[in-house]
Amino acid sequence: MAVAAETADLKTTRPSVYLDQWVWIRLASAAIGEPREPSDLDVLDAVRQASQAGILFPLSVTHYHETARITHPRQRADLARTMASISHCRTLCSGRILLRHQLLEAMHLSFGRPTFRPAPPQPLGIGLGWALAGTRLLPQLRGPSGPIDPASRPWAADFLRKAGQFTEYQLLAGPQDADVPELRRRGYRPEEVEKVSQSRVDWERFYAELLAGDPISRAELRVRVQAREIIHEHHELLRDLCAEYHLDLLRATGVDPARPTASRRRMVAFADRIPSVRIAVDVKVELFRNAARKWNLNTVHDIDAVSLAVPYCHAVVPDREIADLMGRSKAGPRNGTHVLRGLRDLPDVLADLTAQIEAPDGDPDGEDWVRDGEEFCMALADLGPPGLAHGTAAKQPR
């Protein structure tokens, strides 16, 4: 029996704004004195002021993937410097963790199991480890005899803070060409991540080819795309949750072999209660309806990014095409999110969000970040005493 309750508010506590990679590239160009448009300098100034006022500009796994694909180390460094100085390397939590909560919420509302309202995870944290696995990468001091207690060294707290920030910047900027051979000797294989992403592109291309030879109605297309999204992207997670809470999904939705479509309405309603899934499905439906549209890696990454960012952030500036497609499904209003089609309105939106911050209350993540973007790398390059090692390893994405 379904539980009568409204959908949980997933928004971050402090106002947050998600910027697509193209926006960060424009801001980075403006930061080095080469704006693509004269107005980009004003946008950069507005973003910097908003960040200083307390607006959060989280990154996602997609930013790390797309920055890593830039072949020129200097361009990556310039981009990473701008991103780090504004975002402070805050990141949206691992998609698997956020989707776990969204699925539990949908199960609770649709089937009454779990019987309790699931507690939401912390959507924002610091660094690549948080984006990959919901775990922050923390440096630790080590000497010849092993770990060193930071409390025993007067300089340790400030040193570790700077070391951690510098490490997160380096993870964002990626390795120098000269470092790649040694990293490969240690297991560095970025092409393996590309293979996983490419397999997802191939999955969408395959279905586009099927549709070209067997067109169907928009309503039927949406149901099929929804089923594909659940099965291909979230089947293992849903299966594990059903087992954990002893939920027989077929029985809960009233599946009857004699009437194959009997449970369709319940399954559609259940999937539509998963905000990130609904956003991805609606965007993909519009893309599949355009037979001339070719699927590529950027499209898959863009959908990944917006499907997570829109439910949690107060404003999102995506790729213009994705913004148009989300506009057709009313994803922005449905999630209480400003979805902007470009940079023109961003300064006004930032001003409105800044006005919602009643009073500065320090860094919400407890991170005293070095604020000067231009001197960011230089200030952290001198790390002081040796002996730095990571104490936490990030779980690799599937």
Side-chain angles (χ1 to χ4, degrees):
M1 180 177 179
V3 177
E6 295 183 359
T7 302
D9 180 8
L10 302 179
K11 288 289 183 278
T12 58
T13 303
R14 296 280 292 275
S16 56
V17 179
Y18 184 90
L19 305 177
D20 191 82
Q21 185 80 346
W22 73 269
V23 180
W24 287 111
I25 291 173
R26 291 272 290 266
L27 295 179
S29 296
I32 63 173
E34 300 176 3
R36 304 286 179 88
E37 301 288 342
S39 58
D40 287 356
L41 293 170
D42 295 329
V43 174
L44 175 62
D45 184 59
V47 169
R48 283 174 168 168
Q49 289 187 34
S51 176
Q52 292 173 3
I55 301 297
L56 311 181
F57 291 87
L59 306 175
S60 70
V61 168
T62 297
H63 290 113
Y64 289 86
H65 286 331
E66 295 188 344
T67 300
R69 295 172 66 198
I70 298 173
T71 58
H72 198 291
R74 179 63 186 182
Q75 292 177 350
R76 290 201 307 270
D78 288 340
L79 177 59
R81 185 180 299 111
T82 298
M83 297 169 87
S85 65
I86 292 170
S87 72
H88 305 160
C89 286
R90 291 190 185 90
T91 51
L92 282 168
C93 191
S94 160
R96 183 175 178 85
I97 292 176
L98 296 180
L99 262 296
R100 173 185 167 85
H101 171 256
Q102 291 186 27
L103 281 164
L104 284 175
E105 179 79 9
M107 289 165 55
H108 170 74
L109 294 174
S110 299
F111 312 122
R113 192 171 297 177
T115 57
F116 55 87
R117 194 108 193 208
Q122 173 56 254
L124 296 186
I126 296 290
L128 180 58
W130 190 261
L132 289 177
T135 302
R136 184 173 179 184
L137 296 172
L138 293 174
Q140 71 174 208
L141 292 172
R142 299 186 67 88
S145 304
I148 298 174
D149 181 5
S152 67
R153 302 292 191 274
W155 45 263
D158 184 62
F159 168 67
L160 288 174
R161 174 179 66 86
K162 292 182 178 180
Q165 292 177 24
F166 181 72
T167 300
E168 291 298 347
Y169 162 76
Q170 291 285 69
L171 290 171
L172 184 57
Q176 296 291 315
D177 289 345
D179 299 329
V180 171
E182 175 61 18
L183 290 173
R184 283 194 171 278
R185 191 182 67 81
R186 299 184 181 185
Y188 178 63
R189 297 290 185 271
E191 63 273 10
E192 295 302 317
V193 177
E194 290 290 310
K195 286 181 181 179
V196 173
S197 297
Q198 187 59 48
S199 71
R200 298 176 64 211
V201 176
D202 294 340
W203 168 257
E204 308 299 359
R205 286 177 176 171
F206 172 73
Y207 193 55
E209 292 173 0
L210 288 180
L211 288 172
D214 183 23
I216 56 179
S217 69
R218 187 186 188 285
E220 180 64 20
L221 175 62
R222 188 177 189 278
V223 174
R224 295 186 187 183
V225 171
Q226 192 180 65
R228 293 177 83 254
E229 189 72 10
I230 293 291
I231 293 171
H232 190 256
E233 301 291 341
H234 310 295
H235 173 260
E236 291 183 6
L237 179 57
L238 179 59
R239 179 200 63 197
D240 293 347
L241 290 177
C242 286
E244 182 178 348
Y245 291 97
H246 308 289
L247 175 66
D248 186 329
L249 196 58
L250 297 181
R251 180 180 298 177
T253 54
V255 170
D256 183 352
R259 296 185 300 154
T261 62
S263 64
R264 172 178 288 204
R265 183 173 298 179
R266 286 188 178 182
M267 282 300 299
V268 168
F270 166 65
D272 278 344
R273 279 178 163 152
I274 310 168
S276 292
V277 170
R278 183 169 183 176
I279 292 168
V281 166
D282 287 339
V283 170
K284 289 182 179 183
V285 166
E286 297 301 331
L287 290 172
F288 280 126
R289 293 183 70 210
N290 181 1
R293 183 65 166 83
K294 303 301 181 183
W295 284 83
N296 56 45
L297 203 56
N298 286 336
T299 303
V300 171
H301 283 170
D302 286 344
I303 295 173
D304 287 346
V306 298
S307 64
L308 282 183
V310 169
Y312 296 94
C313 296
H314 296 74
V316 173
V317 188
D319 173 89
R320 178 164 294 188
E321 179 189 31
I322 298 295
D324 288 339
L325 297 180
M326 284 197 295
R328 299 178 191 179
S329 65
K330 310 298 182 185
R334 186 174 63 250
N335 289 277
T337 307
H338 297 282
V339 178
L340 307 183
R341 295 181 65 254
L343 297 180
R344 179 184 304 175
D345 297 328
L346 181 57
D348 289 338
V349 170
L350 294 178
D352 291 341
L353 292 175
T354 301
Q356 297 176 20
I357 301 176
E358 295 181 359
D361 57 0
D363 192 309
D365 296 304
E367 176 73 358
D368 183 17
W369 197 268
V370 174
R371 307 276 175 172
D372 192 326
E374 288 302 316
E375 297 181 0
F376 179 78
C377 297
M378 295 175 61
L380 298 183
D382 182 11
L383 292 181
L388 178 68
H390 279 308
T392 306
K395 179 181 178 182
Q396 293 299 312
R398 67 178 180 85

